[in-house]
Amino acid sequence: MATKQQAEVSREGRARYLYAVVRARSGWAAELTGLGPSPVHAVREDDLLALVSDTAGLRVAPTRAHLLTHQRVTDAVLREHTLVPVAFGTVLPSEERVRELLRAAHAPLVRALDVLEGRVELGLKVYCHRDALARRLEAEQPELARRPTEPEEDHEQRLELALLERTTRDMDVLRTGLAPLVAATHESAPLGERMLLNAAFLVDRAAVAAFEARLKTLVARTEVYAFRFTGPWAGYSFVDVRLDMEGELSAGTR
């Protein structure tokens, strides 16, 4: 960070670690302990509140304890408020700098709050038991079995194509089945060979139970896929709030 920011920390004695931004009208009365450990408090600018805690320096090490504390504070805020989550490690040198950043990013922060109003993020990862699915496909479609004179490589290519067609269709059925309960979807690239879907869904709080029930109905139809369902979380996948190397805050929706 710049020398100017270090000087600000020296004058104030403590920097400010940011967790989230909420609307001022929602108020702030919770008693939470943040990094440090230091109490979480609100810094107000116009109609926005930045939730912060005091910290000694401008950098916070990404230790497991720090990451869990950041997540615990965010989860606690999410239970009572619509919030724009701030990326881990976002530190400002002074409370005045927090207010400046709220002023500078006011419009995108309000837009992000509008997108997230009354909604939470749910995560879903889908994995394929490829051998089990291959056996099922060969049982359902005898023509997929290896022909007497067929080279093994050709058979593997035919089977791989059939696997791709089936998994693509099944994931499309899953997306279609969940779509009526979803306000927005963000998909990331699958990780590893077994993962087929790596998705986040923005869902109204009131629809979370219905989403879970619909998902259980859809996944009950198959034993060749494994599902990892997580949440509710703050909408990290649908907004982007981070501090650049010059200490400027950028915020927007994805």
Side-chain angles (χ1 to χ4, degrees), residues 41-58:
H41 64 278
V43 177
R44 178 165 185 166
E45 183 62 34
D46 195 12
D47 56 349
L48 297 177
L49 298 178
L51 303 183
V52 307
S53 62
D54 294 349
T55 187
L58 288 168

Side-chain angles (χ1 to χ4, degrees), residues 6-184:
Q6 293 170 345
E8 287 184 65
V9 175
S10 298
R11 287 197 302 272
E12 287 221 352
R14 306 287 283 181
R16 302 297 188 273
Y17 182 91
L18 276 67
Y19 300 92
V21 176
V22 301
R23 298 185 195 275
R25 68 169 184 253
S26 67
W28 178 252
E31 295 184 2
L32 298 174
T33 301
L35 298 174
S38 178
V40 177
H41 64 278
V43 177
R44 178 165 185 166
E45 183 62 34
D46 195 12
D47 56 349
L48 297 177
L49 298 178
L51 303 183
V52 307
S53 62
D54 294 349
T55 187
L58 288 168
R59 294 188 182 278
V60 174
T63 63
R64 176 176 172 79
H66 288 162
L67 289 163
L68 288 175
T69 298
H70 181 102
Q71 187 64 55
R72 175 180 53 77
V73 171
T74 303
D75 289 347
V77 176
L78 182 65
R79 286 194 288 270
E80 303 293 335
H81 304 269
T82 294
L83 64 91
V84 174
V86 177
F88 175 85
T90 302
V91 184
L92 278 300
S94 66
E95 205 148 291
E96 180 52 35
R97 283 287 286 148
V98 175
R99 293 191 179 92
E100 288 178 9
L101 289 172
L102 288 179
R103 290 195 294 270
H106 181 271
L109 285 169
V110 169
R111 285 196 297 270
L113 283 164
D114 289 342
V115 169
L116 299 175
E117 186 68 44
R119 294 168 173 161
V120 294
E121 178 175 323
L122 302 175
L124 180 63
K125 293 178 172 61
V126 183
Y127 302 85
C128 180
H129 300 299
R130 297 181 68 83
D131 291 343
L133 180 55
R135 289 193 296 270
R136 173 175 292 186
L137 288 178
E138 289 184 311
E140 294 174 352
Q141 305 174 50
E143 66 275 15
L144 286 176
R146 186 179 177 185
R147 300 159 188 152
T149 60
E150 183 180 26
E152 182 177 353
E153 183 178 343
D154 291 351
H155 174 247
E156 289 179 353
Q157 288 179 350
R158 284 198 303 117
L159 189 57
E160 186 64 29
L161 180 59
L163 284 166
L164 178 60
E165 291 175 347
R166 173 60 67 87
T167 55
T168 299
R169 186 179 71 192
D170 288 348
M171 292 306 100
D172 286 344
V173 168
L174 180 63
R175 293 183 186 93
T176 300
L178 295 173
L181 298 169
V182 172

Side-chain angles (χ1 to χ4, degrees), residues 156-240:
E156 289 179 353
Q157 288 179 350
R158 284 198 303 117
L159 189 57
E160 186 64 29
L161 180 59
L163 284 166
L164 178 60
E165 291 175 347
R166 173 60 67 87
T167 55
T168 299
R169 186 179 71 192
D170 288 348
M171 292 306 100
D172 286 344
V173 168
L174 180 63
R175 293 183 186 93
T176 300
L178 295 173
L181 298 169
V182 172
T185 303
H186 179 80
E187 291 195 24
S188 300
L191 305 174
E193 293 183 0
R194 292 184 58 239
M195 187 183 291
L196 299 174
L197 184 68
N198 186 10
F201 301 94
L202 192 63
V203 177
D204 289 348
R205 288 178 186 268
V208 170
F211 183 97
E212 291 188 53
R214 178 71 61 83
L215 180 60
K216 288 178 181 178
T217 299
L218 292 168
V219 305
R221 300 173 185 173
T222 179
E223 297 177 354
V224 298
Y225 300 120
F227 298 84
R228 185 186 176 203
F229 176 60
T230 60
W233 310 110
Y236 285 99
S237 298
F238 301 94
V239 299
D240 190 23

